Amino acid sequence: MSSITQDIQEILITEQQLKEKVKELGRMITKDYQGKDLVLLGVLKGAIMFMADLSRAIDLPLSIDFMAVSSYGSSTQSSGIVKIIKDHDINIEGKDVLIVEDIIDSGLTLSYLRETLLGRKPRSLKICTILDKPERREADVKVDYCGFKIPDKFVVGYGLDFDEKYRNLPFIGVLKPELYK
Ligand SMILES: O=P(O)(O)OC[C@H]1O[C@H](OP(=O)(O)OP(=O)(O)O)[C@H](O)[C@@H]1O
Ligand code: HPA
Ligand SMILES: [Mg+2]
């Protein structure tokens, strides 16, 4: 029998660590957004797992929406060109928008998104990511809520893919290099 776990060289963050961190972030957001009009805006597709867990860890009335952008395609390097594939449906003017991301790597995706969304006049705009790879930053982005800072390794799992695969791993792992080199 084959298993996708066989393709993983190293587990960086376990399922249990993810669960605990998401609870902690949920508690912080619940406290910070009392009385606000919160819209969680997930960035497809990577943020799906985090969005599903984080939204349930927030004890507030909130709305959920998604955008789809792409800058990586089937590569492990960002192309630097961010394309909106699907826009959000909810009118965010006057709303307290929290962008939900799986990872900030070069920062190019988020700096582009931030500028675009600010033009739509939300009351506030903040960023929540489960992973941050600060060593690789090319564009400056202020991260308001961060789960884990990770080293400069290409990671998969918990929504993150390599060539559209491995999103369904319940942990964050590093692929065996022979699979993408
Ligand atoms: O900080 P950056 O270097 O811009 O990288 C981060 C972005 O890249 C990935 O998305 P991708 O384009 O692979 O789409 P996906 O979420 O559908 O996998 C990831 O989900 C982030 O959105
Ligand atoms: O390390 C990563 N893994 C998967 N997708 C990504 N997009 C940016 N960085 C990464
Ligand atoms: Mg991707």
Side-chain angles (χ1 to χ4, degrees):
M1 216 167 64
S2 73
S3 142
I4 51 169
T5 309
Q6 287 167 351
D7 293 353
I8 300 301
Q9 179 179 62
E10 177 195 358
I11 296 180
L12 273 190
I13 304 165
T14 65
E15 191 172 357
Q16 190 57 35
Q17 286 174 305
L18 285 167
K19 275 201 179 123
E20 283 165 19
K21 187 61 79 177
V22 171
K23 287 257 162 67
E24 188 187 321
L25 290 169
R27 281 194 295 269
M28 287 165 68
I29 293 165
T30 303
K31 194 163 144 267
D32 296 350
Y33 282 83
Q34 294 290 316
K36 303 225 163 115
D37 197 351
L38 177 59
V39 178
L40 296 181
L41 184 52
V43 186
L44 293 171
K45 303 173 201 169
I48 51 163
M49 308 295 177
F50 183 39
M51 174 66 106
D53 291 341
L54 181 69
S55 58
R56 288 176 293 176
I58 300 173
D59 185 13
L60 287 173
L62 54 79
S63 313
I64 291 177
D65 208 339
F66 290 98
M67 285 181 83
V69 298
S70 186
S71 59
Y72 276 73
S74 61
S75 159
T76 60
Q77 297 285 322
S78 172
S79 64
I81 301 159
V82 181
K83 207 168 74 185
I84 293 186
I85 296 164
K86 181 220 172 288
D87 219 328
H88 56 86
D89 310 318
I90 297 173
N91 178 1
I92 60 168
E93 189 173 339
K95 302 274 169 75
D96 296 293
V97 177
L98 182 60
I99 301 176
V100 178
E101 258 290 21
D102 53 342
I103 191 164
I104 307 178
D105 193 311
S106 68
L108 293 169
T109 304
L110 268 184
S111 61
Y112 171 84
L113 259 190
R114 228 184 88 80
E115 287 312 306
T116 306
L117 294 174
L118 279 176
R120 299 173 181 177
K121 307 270 183 288
R123 180 160 60 192
S124 66
L125 182 63
K126 289 193 175 182
I127 293 170
C128 177
T129 186
I130 188 70
L131 302 178
D132 185 3
K133 231 192 254 183
E135 283 168 49
R136 299 241 312 173
R137 209 63 106 247
E138 289 174 43
D140 208 23
V141 277
K142 178 171 169 270
V143 186
D144 301 283
Y145 302 93
C146 170
F148 301 90
K149 288 205 162 98
I150 60 163
D152 183 9
K153 293 180 176 175
F154 194 81
V155 292
V156 293
Y158 198 60
L160 289 115
D161 70 308
F162 169 62
D163 203 9
E164 296 299 333
K165 305 250 166 44
Y166 305 105
R167 295 192 199 272
N168 58 323
L169 283 170
F171 52 79
I172 303 286
V174 180
L175 270 186
K176 290 183 177 161
E178 63 264 30
L179 290 166
Y180 64 86
K181 283 205 172 120

